[in-house]
Amino acid sequence: MLMDSLSGIPQLHRMTAVWEKVLKKDGIKPDDSFFTLGGQSVMAGSLVSAAGEEFGVRIPLRALFEHSRLGEFTEHVLGLATPSAPLPYAVSTDIPLEMTAFQRRIWLAELIDPSVRNHVPLAWRVEGRLDPDRLRLALGRLVAEHEILRTRFVDDDDALSVRLRPPWVPEVEPLDLRNAPGGMRDWLDAALRLPFDLESGQLLRAALGDLGDGRQALLLCLHHLVIDGESVPVLLSELDRCYSAPDRPQPVVQYREFAAYQQGQRDSAARDTDLDYWASALAGAPSDTPLPEPGQPEPNGAFQIPLPAGLLDSLRAVQSEHGVSWFMVAATALAVTLHRWTGLDDVTFGSPTANRDHPRFAELLGPCLNTTVLRSRVTEDSTVLDALLRMRGEALGALEHQTVQFDDVITRLNPVRRFGHTPYMNVMLNMNLLDGHAAVLDGTRLTPVLNDSLRSENAKFGLTVTMAEQDDQLIGLVAHRGDQLSAGHARELADELAGVLVRFPEALTEPVMRRG
């Protein structure tokens, strides 16, 4: 047995506690694999960071993929001798407010094109009853405690700055949805079309719908300047605290601390190392993945990819055998589809990453996103397995060097640009793990609702593929810009992607460069 030489506490038990906390599963055994337990790339960073803090060592991210079972990972960690980096110092909240690079990028996008909507629509079905007055007051307490929800984004003579407004209490719009099956979608569609006043510091809208039979719907719409997908669970847990225990406020990590920490990273020597990595990784890469543009611009579109039940189970054996996450499988399937679709042996696409691996910011409310580029290169003889293993290396490299901002990478590489096309990532892959967003709010259960019709309003790239996991099933969504990809071609591409995913375990020995 692995023993703690100082206290006699089994080291394996300590590591098990870390895994169970990060993966939100009980009863994990030494032979259990990170991948068969539902682990994915975002969790990998959090697990490695948490384990490093627990054992006082610096753990490379690759270690988890090379030692994916709990027991062997524990033994590997015990063999490491490099001390971990210290926690970031606590930043005083009297420091000036700052924006992150992500906030500046999406704010500038809206200033350049007012039709752009960087809204985040959220919907849950509520089992139980929420009181609208208590909900409104809870939202007010949430706003008061978290500065990000009362931050003003101000354009002063082309000098972009952020300021705080006093606490405010959001209104909760009552909705009668008892005889309106499309009522949730209608409210969210309207909320998406209605622009936010970024200087107001009120970038949150809320509604509570009555579905009849004792059921409700909780609907929120926030601006991407104040939230990202990874902080939705934080939003819900904090809302539960403000709703259930309003008399017990607690200190929270403010977003300005993350902005200051990120700026510190930007000024560090590691930034040059990261930039050198990306300059090497993308040397000679095409800055655009061509899509067949329609003869005449069409409306933006979104639809669900047909994926069969049980697909996730069929892919877990591949994940465990080859030490890959579900994200790496999805990225490989998309890369194979793009190779076959375009006939190119070198393609790139983008994927959002969550820069919240550091324990201090794991429960931060606010956007901690960056965007990284994944590159897939194949030869005439490359198999799907070859593409998977190469994508594994690409994804790990991207995660290890994700702290450098995408804007800085573009400045360093200075690629050829096309209007309306984002270099290296006019095709995007999103992972949306909806199971992690289910929550309990004062005894009521909130189950997330995924509505693919919402995606067309926010089609910012030529093609966006979103993979979601809900109730242990995989759901795929495609959104496309109608001026860059027709609806017919988008559906053809989605069907081919679905075919690659469904046949993935059997297709590993097949060549990449063929269709069908």
Side-chain angles (χ1 to χ4, degrees), residues 4-236:
D4 186 322
S5 59
L6 296 179
S7 65
I9 301 173
Q11 298 276 35
L12 182 61
H13 291 175
R14 292 172 59 195
M15 185 66 78
T16 300
V18 173
W19 279 47
E20 290 181 345
K21 181 178 180 180
V22 173
L23 294 170
K24 296 181 173 61
K25 292 181 181 293
D26 296 326
I28 297 179
K29 305 298 182 184
D31 287 337
D32 286 341
S33 166
F34 172 75
F35 305 110
T36 57
L37 292 168
Q40 37 79 21
S41 300
V42 173
M43 288 182 181
S46 299
L47 192 153
V48 165
S49 179
E53 183 183 11
E54 172 69 22
F55 287 85
V57 295
R58 180 180 291 109
I59 307 172
L61 185 65
R62 292 176 184 269
L64 180 58
F65 290 81
E66 294 168 353
H67 308 278
S68 62
R69 298 186 185 279
L70 170 61
E72 64 184 33
F73 179 73
T74 303
E75 291 198 33
H76 177 77
V77 169
L78 294 180
L80 298 175
T82 305
S84 61
L87 286 171
Y89 59 87
V91 179
S92 172
T93 54
D94 61 3
I95 63 171
L97 287 167
E98 287 188 283
M99 279 183 291
T100 59
F102 170 79
Q103 289 177 313
R104 183 174 295 273
R105 182 165 66 248
I106 65 172
W107 187 7
L108 286 172
E110 290 199 13
L111 288 176
I112 294 170
D113 184 357
S115 67
V116 171
R117 295 286 184 269
N118 286 293
H119 295 19
V120 180
L122 302 168
W124 296 270
R125 288 190 176 88
V126 181
E127 297 176 22
R129 300 295 295 181
L130 294 174
D131 180 86
D133 292 330
R134 285 182 63 193
L135 178 61
R136 179 174 176 272
L137 292 176
L139 287 168
R141 293 186 185 98
L142 187 74
V143 168
E145 292 188 25
H146 291 268
E147 292 179 347
I148 189 66
L149 296 179
R150 47 190 177 92
T151 298
R152 301 173 58 224
F153 296 83
V154 182
D155 181 7
D156 288 330
D157 298 325
D158 297 324
L160 305 182
S161 62
V162 288
R163 302 172 189 169
L164 283 186
R165 61 153 292 154
W168 62 284
V169 181
E171 294 297 327
V172 178
E173 182 180 352
L175 302 175
D176 186 350
L177 306 177
R178 289 172 293 181
N179 297 306
M184 280 193 287
R185 181 186 61 198
D186 293 342
W187 187 90
L188 290 167
D189 283 345
L192 280 171
R193 288 191 296 269
L194 181 64
F196 280 106
D197 177 2
L198 302 186
E199 295 194 5
S200 70
Q202 300 182 4
L203 304 184
L204 182 156
R205 301 184 184 116
L208 186 63
D210 184 354
L211 298 172
D213 299 325
R215 298 172 298 120
Q216 292 176 309
L218 175 61
L219 307 173
L220 300 177
C221 185
L222 298 91
H223 198 282
H224 216 347
L225 286 167
V226 303
I227 198 169
D228 61 8
E230 293 300 318
S231 57
V232 171
V234 180
L235 173 76
L236 291 175

Side-chain angles (χ1 to χ4, degrees), residues 1 78 107 121 171 191 201 221 232 243 287 314 327 354 376 409-410 448 458 474 491 513:
M1 177 176 287
L78 294 180
W107 187 7
E171 294 297 327
C221 185
V232 171
Y243 187 99
S287 60
S314 72
F327 172 81
S376 178
V409 174
I410 295 300
N458 285 344
L474 289 176
R491 289 192 178 276
M513 298 301 288

